[in-house]
């Protein structure tokens, strides 16, 4: 009876108009890009943002969790902006925090010049080639990358050529530098470095926090978060200055109902349309494991299979191991973007939780269709999992900050890992993953040995981004009480009276809580035909990037006067 009382309280508190029903009414929000984001001309221009960032307690990079008297390590990529890093160091020191800036390349004996040369040589592709995410899966998710590469080369030499030929043509010295700069090598080097240079908090890499923590080995308990504030795009915006208490309350509101639902329905205007049902036990585990700042786990399978993050003592891990569960999703996942870039529209058909068919997607879809038939991948049962097969839906990573945006760059590559941080954007990921074995919050030896022995992938990948998704859940024990958690790409928690009242401490709630970025999708929320966009998404995306760079984008927010000529750079 006690649990039912709690359920009634949750349902009653989450069924105002801003959450209940009406998910399909109205138009999708128009495109937006923050007009105020510009490069800095001096460290002094960066300092207000740096001071806010070192006090930020929310999201992937909660620098504000480091307290006075502690030592923080900021592990940087070779592309990090020196002015931005010096501003952050100064801002931290103003708070009485000691800072170590630790360049990745120096740890493995590579000069910055060499590292940049290798990175640029290896990035022969732009975000037009979203199929290169499959390249990363083969080279980073298998214990031995040669096994899947050899298999694909024998079956489909044309696909192998598209993904690997130019990389294999690189000079041997460039290949060697790239090997040195691998996550494993840098993780091992960091663990040794921090033995000699003790710190209290480590910030490293742009994503993949559970994997990053494991890569630090015995120093993993000092991992506080990713480090994304190494450039003006990520730092000098309202995402870095977004109030942490408002951010965390919105995340609490988003995950609060998960333990009390029995069904979810999801759709997106690009064609995603699926549903799933869960038991009382599965919902309880989902509610326990769904919390990860800035990246909520909106699918039960992703919230299990390890010692998940604590909602109370974040970034500490919980002491209870949650066994992995598999959920029987049915429906279609569709889109045109992933972590690496864009590709022609893809449809992934899932039945009873497993990928059964992949339609479209250009080269990305072609490679995916081949690997649906990879040896043993459908027959064997991974350790600790209740059913055989690899091609299960695993990830539903939800961004939670309305101020993050898809970041352009000077090479017209775009940055699709940045758009996933925007509040309301979900990226779906397929394949199995085990965070930890049941005995300790470390890599399971049984898991890694199974993948090595059978030449199978040891982690998920294969992402599809949905940018204007609607996500609804039904409260258990009711016939038709539905809660809309995301409405056309917007977290509905930000509409609640409680969030608006809290946000009013920092200014006009309409401004504080507004989405400063909305994706540009012709035929959905922008002029044009979606059918034309879907055939060649990069044509639209690159045009938008060029307009932003030139200061002529018609959807700047707040609006700006048109400039006759000149670049925002």
């Amino acid at each position: 009876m006690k649990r039912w009382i709690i359920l009634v309280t949750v349902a009653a508190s989450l069924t105002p108009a801003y959450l209940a029903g009406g998910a399909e009414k109205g138009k999708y929000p128009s495109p937006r890009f923050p007009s105020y984001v510009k490069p800095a001309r001096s460290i002094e221009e960066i300092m207000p943002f740096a001071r806010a960032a070192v006090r930020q307690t929310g999201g992937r990079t909660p620098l504000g969790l480091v307290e006075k008297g502690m030592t923080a390590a900021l592990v940087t990529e070779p592309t990090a902006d020196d002015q931005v890093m010096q501003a952050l160091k100064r801002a931290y020191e103003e708070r009485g925090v000691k800072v170590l800036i630790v360049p990745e390349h120096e740890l493995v004996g590579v000069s910055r010049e060499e590292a940049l040369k290798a990175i640029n040589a290896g990035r022969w592709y732009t975000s037009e080639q979203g199929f290169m995410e499959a390249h990363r899966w083969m080279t980073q998710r298998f214990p031995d990358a040669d096994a899947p590469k050899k298999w694909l080369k024998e079956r489909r030499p044309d696909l192998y050529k598209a993904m690997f030929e130019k990389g294999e043509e690189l000079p041997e010295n460039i290949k060697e530098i790239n090997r040195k700069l691998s996550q494993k090598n840098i993780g091992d080097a960091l663990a040794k470095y921090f033995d000699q240079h003790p710190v209290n908090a480590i910030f490293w890499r742009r994503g993949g926090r559970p994997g990053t923590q494991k890569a630090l080995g015995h120093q993993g308990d000092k991992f506080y978060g990713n480090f994304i504030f190494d450039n003006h795009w990520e730092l000098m915006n309202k995402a870095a200055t977004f109030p942490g208490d408002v951010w965390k309350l919105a995340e609490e509101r988003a995950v609060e109902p998960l333990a009390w639902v029995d069904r979810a329905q999801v759709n997106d205007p690009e064609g995603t349309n699926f549903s799933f049902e869960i038991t009382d036990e599965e919902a309880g585990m989902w509610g326990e494991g769904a919390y990860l700042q800035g990246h909520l786990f909106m699918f039960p399978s992703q919230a299990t299979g390890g010692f998940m993050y604590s909602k109370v003592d974040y970034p500490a891990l919980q002491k209870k191991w949650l066994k992995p569960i598999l959920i029987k999703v049915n429906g279609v996942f569709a889109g045109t973007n992933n972590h690496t870039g864009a590709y022609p529209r893809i449809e992934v058909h899932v039945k009873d939780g497993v990928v059964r068919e992949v339609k479209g997607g250009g080269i990305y879809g072609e490679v995916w269709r081949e690997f649906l038939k990879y040896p043993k991948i459908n027959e064997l049962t991974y350790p600790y999992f209740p059913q055989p097969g690899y091609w299960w839906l695993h990830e539903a990573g939800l961004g939670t900050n309305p101020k993050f945006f898809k970041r352009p760059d000077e090479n017209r590559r775009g940055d699709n890992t940045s758009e996933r941080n925007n509040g309301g954007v979900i990226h779906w990921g397929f394949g199995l993953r085990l965070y930890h074995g049941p005995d300790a919050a470390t890599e399971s030896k049984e898991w890694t040995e199974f993948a090595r022995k059978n030449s199978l992938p040891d982690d998920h990948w294969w992402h599809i981004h949905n940018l204007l998704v609607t996500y609804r859940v039904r409260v258990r024990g009711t016939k038709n009480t539905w809660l809309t958690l995301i409405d056309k790409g917007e977290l509905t928690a930000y509409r609640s009276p409680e969030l608006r009242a809290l946000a009013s401490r920092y200014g006009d709630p309409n401004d504080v809580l507004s989405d400063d970025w909305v994706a540009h999708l012709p035929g959905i929320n922008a002029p044009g035909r979606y059918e034309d966009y879907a055939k060649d998404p990069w044509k639209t995306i690159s045009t938008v990037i060029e307009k932003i760079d030139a200061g002529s984008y018609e959807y700047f927010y707040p609006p700006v006067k048109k400039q006759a000529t000149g670049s925002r750079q």
Side-chain angles (χ1 to χ4, degrees), residues 470-490:
T470 294
Y471 196 119
R472 304 175 72 221
V473 293
R474 186 176 65 190
V475 178
R476 182 177 301 280
T478 68
K479 292 184 178 181
N480 202 31
T481 301
W482 288 86
L483 311 179
T484 303
L485 305 181
I486 312 169
D487 185 15
K488 302 179 184 68
E490 179 186 3

Side-chain angles (χ1 to χ4, degrees), residues 21-228:
E24 297 308 312
K25 296 178 182 178
K27 297 180 179 179
Y28 287 93
S30 297
R32 283 185 172 186
F33 187 89
S35 59
Y36 50 79
V37 179
K38 298 179 182 179
R41 291 168 292 186
S42 68
I43 288 182
E44 294 307 319
E45 286 188 352
I46 304 173
M47 286 309 300
F49 298 94
R51 291 187 179 104
V54 299
R55 289 169 171 78
Q56 177 60 265
T57 58
R60 289 182 178 276
T61 307
L63 302 180
L65 294 179
V66 182
E67 300 176 356
K68 181 179 180 180
M70 295 172 65
T71 300
L74 307 180
V75 183
T76 61
E77 299 175 354
T79 54
D81 185 315
D82 290 335
Q83 276 198 126
V84 168
M85 296 309 305
Q86 289 307 309
L88 287 171
K89 185 174 186 294
R90 185 195 299 182
Y92 246 152
E93 290 172 346
E94 290 175 355
R95 284 191 53 217
V97 174
K98 183 179 178 181
V99 183
L100 295 182
I101 297 176
V102 187
E104 291 179 344
H105 56 277
E106 291 183 5
L107 287 170
V108 292
V110 176
S111 71
R112 188 174 190 179
E113 182 181 13
E114 289 176 320
L116 290 173
K117 183 178 179 181
I119 290 170
N120 289 330
R123 290 179 178 172
W124 52 265
Y125 58 94
T126 69
S127 287
E128 184 176 5
Q129 281 83 37
F131 62 81
M132 287 300 286
E133 181 165 306
H135 176 286
R136 294 187 186 181
W137 180 69
M138 279 184 270
T139 57
Q140 298 177 16
R141 295 295 189 262
F142 281 78
D144 178 9
D146 288 338
K149 289 171 62 178
K150 180 176 182 294
W151 183 82
L152 181 65
K153 189 174 184 179
E154 291 173 351
R155 289 176 61 92
R156 292 293 302 272
D158 57 327
L159 298 179
Y160 182 90
K161 179 179 179 181
M163 286 187 293
F164 291 104
E165 185 177 57
K166 290 186 178 180
E168 291 176 346
E169 291 174 352
L170 294 175
E172 194 56 42
N173 66 315
I174 296 294
K175 293 180 182 178
E176 178 59 26
I177 291 171
N178 284 329
R179 283 192 286 268
K180 289 182 179 180
L181 292 173
S182 70
Q183 177 182 324
K184 184 181 186 308
N185 283 345
I186 294 172
D188 292 343
L190 283 170
K192 295 177 183 177
Y193 177 84
F194 292 128
D195 286 340
Q196 303 298 319
H197 305 84
V199 297
N200 303 103
I202 302 169
F203 297 91
W204 180 36
R205 297 187 69 238
R206 312 199 81 81
R209 274 168 282 178
T212 302
Q213 186 168 18
K214 288 191 291 187
L216 286 167
H218 63 278
Q219 299 286 357
D221 60 340
K222 298 173 185 175
F223 178 70
Y224 270 48
N226 293 139
F227 185 58
I228 65 173

Side-chain angles (χ1 to χ4, degrees), residues 299-410:
F299 188 63
S301 296
Q302 188 183 16
T304 59
F307 297 89
M308 310 309 290
Y309 284 94
S310 169
K311 290 177 281 190
V312 179
D313 300 318
Y314 187 88
L317 299 178
Q318 299 178 31
K319 295 181 179 180
K320 178 183 178 181
W321 184 72
L322 297 179
K323 66 179 181 180
I325 56 177
L326 296 172
I327 303 298
K328 294 187 176 181
V329 173
N330 286 284
V332 177
F333 295 77
T336 51
N337 289 273
N338 59 20
H339 286 9
T340 304
Y343 46 82
R345 182 179 177 275
I346 199 169
E347 280 189 5
V348 178
H349 293 251
V350 176
K351 183 178 180 181
D352 293 334
V354 180
V355 176
R356 306 293 183 182
E357 184 179 15
V358 176
K359 296 182 178 180
I363 293 177
Y364 188 49
E366 284 289 318
V367 179
W368 200 336
R369 283 186 283 276
E370 288 300 318
F371 276 97
L372 290 180
K373 298 170 281 190
Y374 186 72
K376 304 180 184 179
I377 203 164
N378 299 311
E379 293 79 30
L380 296 185
T381 301
Y382 277 73
Y384 304 108
F385 277 81
Q387 290 182 246
Y390 170 81
W391 291 112
W392 293 79
L393 173 65
H394 168 78
E395 181 174 29
L398 172 63
T400 56
N401 188 318
K403 305 299 182 181
F404 276 115
F405 54 92
K406 185 187 186 78
R407 174 167 68 91
D409 69 20
E410 65 277 10

Side-chain angles (χ1 to χ4, degrees), residues 254-552:
V255 300
E256 203 171 42
L258 300 183
W260 311 103
V261 306
D262 64 2
R263 182 177 175 85
Q265 293 184 343
V266 182
N267 61 72
D268 179 88
E270 292 201 74
T272 292
N273 188 2
F274 70 90
S275 63
F276 62 88
E277 295 185 352
I278 55 174
T279 66
D280 191 23
E281 180 187 11
E282 291 166 343
M285 295 171 69
W286 188 12
E288 283 189 71
Y291 188 70
L292 178 59
Q293 286 192 175
H295 184 293
L296 302 181
F297 296 158
M298 298 303 292
F299 188 63
S301 296
Q302 188 183 16
T304 59
F307 297 89
M308 310 309 290
Y309 284 94
S310 169
K311 290 177 281 190
V312 179
D313 300 318
Y314 187 88
L317 299 178
Q318 299 178 31
K319 295 181 179 180
K320 178 183 178 181
W321 184 72
L322 297 179
K323 66 179 181 180
I325 56 177
L326 296 172
I327 303 298
K328 294 187 176 181
V329 173
N330 286 284
V332 177
F333 295 77
T336 51
N337 289 273
N338 59 20
H339 286 9
T340 304
Y343 46 82
R345 182 179 177 275
I346 199 169
E347 280 189 5
V348 178
H349 293 251
V350 176
K351 183 178 180 181
D352 293 334
V354 180
V355 176
R356 306 293 183 182
E357 184 179 15
V358 176
K359 296 182 178 180
I363 293 177
Y364 188 49
E366 284 289 318
V367 179
W368 200 336
R369 283 186 283 276
E370 288 300 318
F371 276 97
L372 290 180
K373 298 170 281 190
Y374 186 72
K376 304 180 184 179
I377 203 164
N378 299 311
E379 293 79 30
L380 296 185
T381 301
Y382 277 73
Y384 304 108
F385 277 81
Q387 290 182 246
Y390 170 81
W391 291 112
W392 293 79
L393 173 65
H394 168 78
E395 181 174 29
L398 172 63
T400 56
N401 188 318
K403 305 299 182 181
F404 276 115
F405 54 92
K406 185 187 186 78
R407 174 167 68 91
D409 69 20
E410 65 277 10
N411 295 315
R412 298 294 182 273
R413 292 192 181 97
D415 187 335
N416 277 22
T417 58
S418 60
E419 76 179 9
R420 65 180 173 164
N421 294 324
N422 177 262
V425 170
I426 285 188
H427 58 277
W428 314 105
F430 295 83
L432 296 186
R433 177 178 193 170
L434 187 77
Y435 297 103
H436 314 110
D439 299 324
T442 56
E443 191 79 71
S444 164
K445 292 182 179 179
E446 186 177 359
W447 178 266
T448 55
E449 178 60 21
F450 172 86
R452 185 199 63 77
K453 179 181 177 181
N454 295 291
S455 297
L456 288 173
D458 58 14
D459 203 344
H460 81 293
W461 203 235
W462 299 95
H463 296 103
I464 296 173
H465 292 192
N466 277 172
L467 310 172
L468 295 171
V469 70
T470 294
Y471 196 119
R472 304 175 72 221
V473 293
R474 186 176 65 190
V475 178
R476 182 177 301 280
T478 68
K479 292 184 178 181
N480 202 31
T481 301
W482 288 86
L483 311 179
T484 303
L485 305 181
I486 312 169
D487 185 15
K488 302 179 184 68
E490 179 186 3
L491 277 175
T492 55
Y494 285 122
R495 303 174 185 172
S496 72
E498 295 90 345
L499 262 295
R500 293 182 64 80
L502 184 58
S504 68
R505 295 179 180 179
Y506 304 97
D508 182 350
N510 293 324
D511 177 59
V512 175
L513 302 177
S514 67
D515 262 302
D516 286 6
W517 176 80
V518 178
H520 189 120
L521 295 172
I524 295 174
N525 68 343
R529 285 168 25 98
Y530 179 77
E531 293 80 1
D532 296 332
Y533 162 82
K535 294 175 184 177
D536 185 9
W538 182 245
K539 182 178 180 180
T540 296
I541 294 168
S542 60
T543 299
V544 168
I545 291 174
E546 290 171 2
K547 288 183 176 181
I548 290 169
D549 189 41
S552 61

